[in-house]
PDB file of all heavy atoms in Angstrom:
ATOM      1  N   VAL S   8     102.856 -67.692  92.285  1.00 97.00           N
ATOM      2  CA  VAL S   8     103.918 -67.007  91.549  1.00 97.00           C
ATOM      3  C   VAL S   8     104.872 -68.021  90.918  1.00 97.00           C
ATOM      4  O   VAL S   8     105.297 -67.854  89.767  1.00 97.00           O
ATOM      5  CB  VAL S   8     104.670 -66.020  92.471  1.00 97.00           C
ATOM      6  CG1 VAL S   8     105.900 -65.455  91.795  1.00 97.00           C
ATOM      7  CG2 VAL S   8     103.734 -64.906  92.912  1.00 97.00           C
ATOM      8  N   ALA S   9     105.197 -69.089  91.633  1.00 97.00           N
ATOM      9  CA  ALA S   9     106.092 -70.116  91.089  1.00 97.00           C
ATOM     10  C   ALA S   9     105.461 -70.806  89.876  1.00 97.00           C
ATOM     11  O   ALA S   9     106.144 -71.058  88.871  1.00 97.00           O
ATOM     12  CB  ALA S   9     106.437 -71.139  92.162  1.00 97.00           C
ATOM     13  N   ILE S  10     104.168 -71.089  89.947  1.00 97.00           N
ATOM     14  CA  ILE S  10     103.479 -71.722  88.821  1.00 97.00           C
ATOM     15  C   ILE S  10     103.474 -70.795  87.616  1.00 97.00           C
ATOM     16  O   ILE S  10     103.734 -71.222  86.479  1.00 97.00           O
ATOM     17  CB  ILE S  10     102.043 -72.131  89.219  1.00 97.00           C
ATOM     18  CG1 ILE S  10     102.083 -73.257  90.247  1.00 97.00           C
ATOM     19  CG2 ILE S  10     101.233 -72.550  88.000  1.00 97.00           C
ATOM     20  CD1 ILE S  10     100.746 -73.539  90.900  1.00 97.00           C
ATOM     21  N   PHE S  11     103.180 -69.511  87.833  1.00 97.00           N
ATOM     22  CA  PHE S  11     103.189 -68.551  86.724  1.00 97.00           C
ATOM     23  C   PHE S  11     104.580 -68.416  86.114  1.00 97.00           C
ATOM     24  O   PHE S  11     104.730 -68.327  84.893  1.00 97.00           O
ATOM     25  CB  PHE S  11     102.672 -67.188  87.170  1.00 97.00           C
ATOM     26  CG  PHE S  11     101.174 -67.109  87.247  1.00 97.00           C
ATOM     27  CD1 PHE S  11     100.577 -66.306  88.195  1.00 97.00           C
ATOM     28  CD2 PHE S  11     100.366 -67.810  86.372  1.00 97.00           C
ATOM     29  CE1 PHE S  11      99.193 -66.224  88.281  1.00 97.00           C
ATOM     30  CE2 PHE S  11      98.994 -67.739  86.442  1.00 97.00           C
ATOM     31  CZ  PHE S  11      98.397 -66.943  87.397  1.00 97.00           C
ATOM     32  N   ALA S  12     105.618 -68.409  86.946  1.00 98.00           N
ATOM     33  CA  ALA S  12     106.983 -68.306  86.436  1.00 98.00           C
ATOM     34  C   ALA S  12     107.340 -69.535  85.593  1.00 98.00           C
ATOM     35  O   ALA S  12     107.943 -69.404  84.518  1.00 98.00           O
ATOM     36  CB  ALA S  12     107.963 -68.144  87.594  1.00 98.00           C
ATOM     37  N   MET S  13     106.951 -70.723  86.061  1.00 98.00           N
ATOM     38  CA  MET S  13     107.219 -71.931  85.284  1.00 98.00           C
ATOM     39  C   MET S  13     106.432 -71.930  83.983  1.00 98.00           C
ATOM     40  O   MET S  13     106.929 -72.413  82.948  1.00 98.00           O
ATOM     41  CB  MET S  13     106.904 -73.176  86.111  1.00 98.00           C
ATOM     42  CG  MET S  13     107.922 -73.440  87.191  1.00 98.00           C
ATOM     43  SD  MET S  13     107.699 -75.015  88.029  1.00 98.00           S
ATOM     44  CE  MET S  13     106.221 -74.715  88.978  1.00 98.00           C
ATOM     45  N   ALA S  14     105.221 -71.397  83.995  1.00 98.00           N
ATOM     46  CA  ALA S  14     104.428 -71.309  82.766  1.00 98.00           C
ATOM     47  C   ALA S  14     105.099 -70.368  81.762  1.00 98.00           C
ATOM     48  O   ALA S  14     105.131 -70.658  80.554  1.00 98.00           O
ATOM     49  CB  ALA S  14     103.013 -70.837  83.079  1.00 98.00           C
ATOM     50  N   ILE S  15     105.650 -69.277  82.241  1.00 98.00           N
ATOM     51  CA  ILE S  15     106.349 -68.343  81.357  1.00 98.00           C
ATOM     52  C   ILE S  15     107.578 -69.021  80.741  1.00 98.00           C
ATOM     53  O   ILE S  15     107.841 -68.883  79.540  1.00 98.00           O
ATOM     54  CB  ILE S  15     106.734 -67.058  82.116  1.00 98.00           C
ATOM     55  CG1 ILE S  15     105.476 -66.250  82.420  1.00 98.00           C
ATOM     56  CG2 ILE S  15     107.735 -66.226  81.327  1.00 98.00           C
ATOM     57  CD1 ILE S  15     105.700 -65.105  83.376  1.00 98.00           C
ATOM     58  N   VAL S  16     108.320 -69.773  81.544  1.00 98.00           N
ATOM     59  CA  VAL S  16     109.490 -70.494  81.028  1.00 98.00           C
ATOM     60  C   VAL S  16     109.054 -71.525  79.990  1.00 98.00           C
ATOM     61  O   VAL S  16     109.676 -71.652  78.927  1.00 98.00           O
ATOM     62  CB  VAL S  16     110.278 -71.155  82.182  1.00 98.00           C
ATOM     63  CG1 VAL S  16     111.317 -72.132  81.657  1.00 98.00           C
ATOM     64  CG2 VAL S  16     110.913 -70.109  83.065  1.00 98.00           C
ATOM     65  N   LEU S  17     107.959 -72.247  80.263  1.00 98.00           N
ATOM     66  CA  LEU S  17     107.476 -73.251  79.316  1.00 98.00           C
ATOM     67  C   LEU S  17     107.058 -72.608  77.993  1.00 98.00           C
ATOM     68  O   LEU S  17     107.367 -73.128  76.909  1.00 98.00           O
ATOM     69  CB  LEU S  17     106.303 -74.028  79.918  1.00 98.00           C
ATOM     70  CG  LEU S  17     105.740 -75.149  79.046  1.00 98.00           C
ATOM     71  CD1 LEU S  17     106.757 -76.275  78.908  1.00 98.00           C
ATOM     72  CD2 LEU S  17     104.444 -75.671  79.624  1.00 98.00           C
ATOM     73  N   ILE S  18     106.389 -71.475  78.052  1.00 97.00           N
ATOM     74  CA  ILE S  18     105.984 -70.772  76.830  1.00 97.00           C
ATOM     75  C   ILE S  18     107.217 -70.299  76.058  1.00 97.00           C
ATOM     76  O   ILE S  18     107.276 -70.413  74.827  1.00 97.00           O
ATOM     77  CB  ILE S  18     105.043 -69.605  77.170  1.00 97.00           C
ATOM     78  CG1 ILE S  18     103.713 -70.147  77.671  1.00 97.00           C
ATOM     79  CG2 ILE S  18     104.828 -68.699  75.967  1.00 97.00           C
ATOM     80  CD1 ILE S  18     102.825 -69.113  78.316  1.00 97.00           C
ATOM     81  N   PHE S  19     108.204 -69.797  76.759  1.00 97.00           N
ATOM     82  CA  PHE S  19     109.444 -69.353  76.114  1.00 97.00           C
ATOM     83  C   PHE S  19     110.152 -70.511  75.425  1.00 97.00           C
ATOM     84  O   PHE S  19     110.562 -70.419  74.272  1.00 97.00           O
ATOM     85  CB  PHE S  19     110.354 -68.686  77.147  1.00 97.00           C
ATOM     86  CG  PHE S  19     111.671 -68.217  76.606  1.00 97.00           C
ATOM     87  CD1 PHE S  19     111.734 -67.173  75.699  1.00 97.00           C
ATOM     88  CD2 PHE S  19     112.852 -68.823  76.996  1.00 97.00           C
ATOM     89  CE1 PHE S  19     112.950 -66.741  75.186  1.00 97.00           C
ATOM     90  CE2 PHE S  19     114.064 -68.396  76.506  1.00 97.00           C
ATOM     91  CZ  PHE S  19     114.114 -67.357  75.588  1.00 97.00           C
ATOM     92  N   VAL S  20     110.274 -71.630  76.132  1.00 97.00           N
ATOM     93  CA  VAL S  20     110.945 -72.804  75.572  1.00 97.00           C
ATOM     94  C   VAL S  20     110.151 -73.350  74.386  1.00 97.00           C
ATOM     95  O   VAL S  20     110.724 -73.723  73.360  1.00 97.00           O
ATOM     96  CB  VAL S  20     111.140 -73.878  76.666  1.00 97.00           C
ATOM     97  CG1 VAL S  20     111.549 -75.212  76.073  1.00 97.00           C
ATOM     98  CG2 VAL S  20     112.168 -73.424  77.677  1.00 97.00           C
ATOM     99  N   GLY S  21     108.835 -73.382  74.514  1.00 97.00           N
ATOM    100  CA  GLY S  21     108.007 -73.850  73.402  1.00 97.00           C
ATOM    101  C   GLY S  21     108.127 -72.965  72.177  1.00 97.00           C
ATOM    102  O   GLY S  21     108.122 -73.445  71.037  1.00 97.00           O
ATOM    103  N   THR S  22     108.248 -71.669  72.399  1.00 96.00           N
ATOM    104  CA  THR S  22     108.433 -70.742  71.283  1.00 96.00           C
ATOM    105  C   THR S  22     109.774 -70.978  70.600  1.00 96.00           C
ATOM    106  O   THR S  22     109.862 -71.007  69.368  1.00 96.00           O
ATOM    107  CB  THR S  22     108.339 -69.289  71.783  1.00 96.00           C
ATOM    108  OG1 THR S  22     107.081 -69.105  72.426  1.00 96.00           O
ATOM    109  CG2 THR S  22     108.470 -68.311  70.646  1.00 96.00           C
ATOM    110  N   LEU S  23     110.817 -71.158  71.396  1.00 95.00           N
ATOM    111  CA  LEU S  23     112.137 -71.422  70.812  1.00 95.00           C
ATOM    112  C   LEU S  23     112.188 -72.777  70.106  1.00 95.00           C
ATOM    113  O   LEU S  23     112.904 -72.937  69.113  1.00 95.00           O
ATOM    114  CB  LEU S  23     113.218 -71.372  71.894  1.00 95.00           C
ATOM    115  CG  LEU S  23     113.546 -69.996  72.466  1.00 95.00           C
ATOM    116  CD1 LEU S  23     114.567 -70.128  73.592  1.00 95.00           C
ATOM    117  CD2 LEU S  23     114.053 -69.063  71.389  1.00 95.00           C
ATOM    118  N   ALA S  24     111.421 -73.748  70.593  1.00 95.00           N
ATOM    119  CA  ALA S  24     111.443 -75.081  70.000  1.00 95.00           C
ATOM    120  C   ALA S  24     110.806 -75.096  68.614  1.00 95.00           C
ATOM    121  O   ALA S  24     111.048 -76.025  67.831  1.00 95.00           O
ATOM    122  CB  ALA S  24     110.734 -76.072  70.915  1.00 95.00           C
ATOM    123  N   GLN S  25     110.028 -74.078  68.290  1.00 95.00           N
ATOM    124  CA  GLN S  25     109.382 -74.039  66.974  1.00 95.00           C
ATOM    125  C   GLN S  25     110.372 -73.818  65.836  1.00 95.00           C
ATOM    126  O   GLN S  25     110.017 -73.965  64.673  1.00 95.00           O
ATOM    127  CB  GLN S  25     108.301 -72.962  66.955  1.00 95.00           C
ATOM    128  CG  GLN S  25     107.109 -73.321  67.798  1.00 95.00           C
ATOM    129  CD  GLN S  25     106.035 -72.258  67.750  1.00 95.00           C
ATOM    130  OE1 GLN S  25     105.930 -71.518  66.794  1.00 95.00           O
ATOM    131  NE2 GLN S  25     105.231 -72.205  68.803  1.00 95.00           N
ATOM    132  N   VAL S  26     111.607 -73.500  66.151  1.00 92.00           N
ATOM    133  CA  VAL S  26     112.640 -73.383  65.119  1.00 92.00           C
ATOM    134  C   VAL S  26     112.885 -74.751  64.484  1.00 92.00           C
ATOM    135  O   VAL S  26     113.046 -74.861  63.265  1.00 92.00           O
ATOM    136  CB  VAL S  26     113.950 -72.825  65.729  1.00 92.00           C
ATOM    137  CG1 VAL S  26     115.096 -72.921  64.747  1.00 92.00           C
ATOM    138  CG2 VAL S  26     113.749 -71.405  66.195  1.00 92.00           C
ATOM    139  N   ASP S  27     112.891 -75.799  65.292  1.00 90.00           N
ATOM    140  CA  ASP S  27     113.204 -77.144  64.812  1.00 90.00           C
ATOM    141  C   ASP S  27     111.984 -78.038  64.614  1.00 90.00           C
ATOM    142  O   ASP S  27     112.081 -79.073  63.977  1.00 90.00           O
ATOM    143  CB  ASP S  27     114.160 -77.839  65.794  1.00 90.00           C
ATOM    144  CG  ASP S  27     115.468 -77.100  65.931  1.00 90.00           C
ATOM    145  OD1 ASP S  27     115.933 -76.546  64.923  1.00 90.00           O
ATOM    146  OD2 ASP S  27     116.019 -77.071  67.051  1.00 90.00           O
ATOM    147  N   MET S  28     110.837 -77.671  65.194  1.00 93.00           N
ATOM    148  CA  MET S  28     109.656 -78.533  65.146  1.00 93.00           C
ATOM    149  C   MET S  28     108.458 -77.788  64.566  1.00 93.00           C
ATOM    150  O   MET S  28     108.429 -76.564  64.542  1.00 93.00           O
ATOM    151  CB  MET S  28     109.276 -78.990  66.556  1.00 93.00           C
ATOM    152  CG  MET S  28     110.218 -79.909  67.219  1.00 93.00           C
ATOM    153  SD  MET S  28     109.474 -80.476  68.755  1.00 93.00           S
ATOM    154  CE  MET S  28     110.813 -80.217  69.873  1.00 93.00           C
ATOM    155  N   ASP S  29     107.471 -78.567  64.157  1.00 95.00           N
ATOM    156  CA  ASP S  29     106.213 -78.024  63.706  1.00 95.00           C
ATOM    157  C   ASP S  29     105.419 -77.498  64.912  1.00 95.00           C
ATOM    158  O   ASP S  29     105.626 -77.942  66.046  1.00 95.00           O
ATOM    159  CB  ASP S  29     105.427 -79.141  63.002  1.00 95.00           C
ATOM    160  CG  ASP S  29     104.122 -78.661  62.438  1.00 95.00           C
ATOM    161  OD1 ASP S  29     104.141 -77.651  61.696  1.00 95.00           O
ATOM    162  OD2 ASP S  29     103.086 -79.281  62.722  1.00 95.00           O
ATOM    163  N   VAL S  30     104.509 -76.579  64.677  1.00 95.00           N
ATOM    164  CA  VAL S  30     103.725 -75.990  65.762  1.00 95.00           C
ATOM    165  C   VAL S  30     102.951 -77.060  66.522  1.00 95.00           C
ATOM    166  O   VAL S  30     102.917 -77.064  67.763  1.00 95.00           O
ATOM    167  CB  VAL S  30     102.744 -74.928  65.205  1.00 95.00           C
ATOM    168  CG1 VAL S  30     101.807 -74.437  66.288  1.00 95.00           C
ATOM    169  CG2 VAL S  30     103.491 -73.773  64.602  1.00 95.00           C
ATOM    170  N   TRP S  31     102.343 -77.989  65.799  1.00 96.00           N
ATOM    171  CA  TRP S  31     101.531 -79.013  66.465  1.00 96.00           C
ATOM    172  C   TRP S  31     102.390 -80.022  67.204  1.00 96.00           C
ATOM    173  O   TRP S  31     101.970 -80.576  68.217  1.00 96.00           O
ATOM    174  CB  TRP S  31     100.620 -79.691  65.444  1.00 96.00           C
ATOM    175  CG  TRP S  31      99.673 -78.693  64.863  1.00 96.00           C
ATOM    176  CD1 TRP S  31      99.673 -78.205  63.594  1.00 96.00           C
ATOM    177  CD2 TRP S  31      98.641 -77.992  65.566  1.00 96.00           C
ATOM    178  NE1 TRP S  31      98.689 -77.256  63.456  1.00 96.00           N
ATOM    179  CE2 TRP S  31      98.037 -77.099  64.653  1.00 96.00           C
ATOM    180  CE3 TRP S  31      98.161 -78.016  66.863  1.00 96.00           C
ATOM    181  CZ2 TRP S  31      96.991 -76.272  64.990  1.00 96.00           C
ATOM    182  CZ3 TRP S  31      97.113 -77.183  67.204  1.00 96.00           C
ATOM    183  CH2 TRP S  31      96.543 -76.326  66.279  1.00 96.00           C
ATOM    184  N   GLN S  32     103.576 -80.246  66.725  1.00 97.00           N
ATOM    185  CA  GLN S  32     104.510 -81.122  67.432  1.00 97.00           C
ATOM    186  C   GLN S  32     104.939 -80.471  68.754  1.00 97.00           C
ATOM    187  O   GLN S  32     105.025 -81.145  69.782  1.00 97.00           O
ATOM    188  CB  GLN S  32     105.721 -81.389  66.542  1.00 97.00           C
ATOM    189  CG  GLN S  32     106.609 -82.490  67.011  1.00 97.00           C
ATOM    190  CD  GLN S  32     107.754 -82.727  66.036  1.00 97.00           C
ATOM    191  OE1 GLN S  32     107.949 -81.979  65.085  1.00 97.00           O
ATOM    192  NE2 GLN S  32     108.524 -83.768  66.287  1.00 97.00           N
TER     193      GLN S  32
END
């Protein structure tokens, strides 16, 4: 459950980071 929760946070942060960065970056 902890790993899945961290994966969800990472996906959320990666999605938000696409505002300033390219998808591949």
Side-chain angles (χ1 to χ4, degrees):
V8 171
I10 292 168
F11 280 147
M13 287 188 289
I15 289 169
V16 168
L17 182 68
I18 291 167
F19 179 67
V20 168
T22 303
L23 289 176
Q25 290 181 26
V26 170
D27 299 324
M28 292 187 228
D29 183 52
V30 173
W31 297 110
Q32 192 178 7

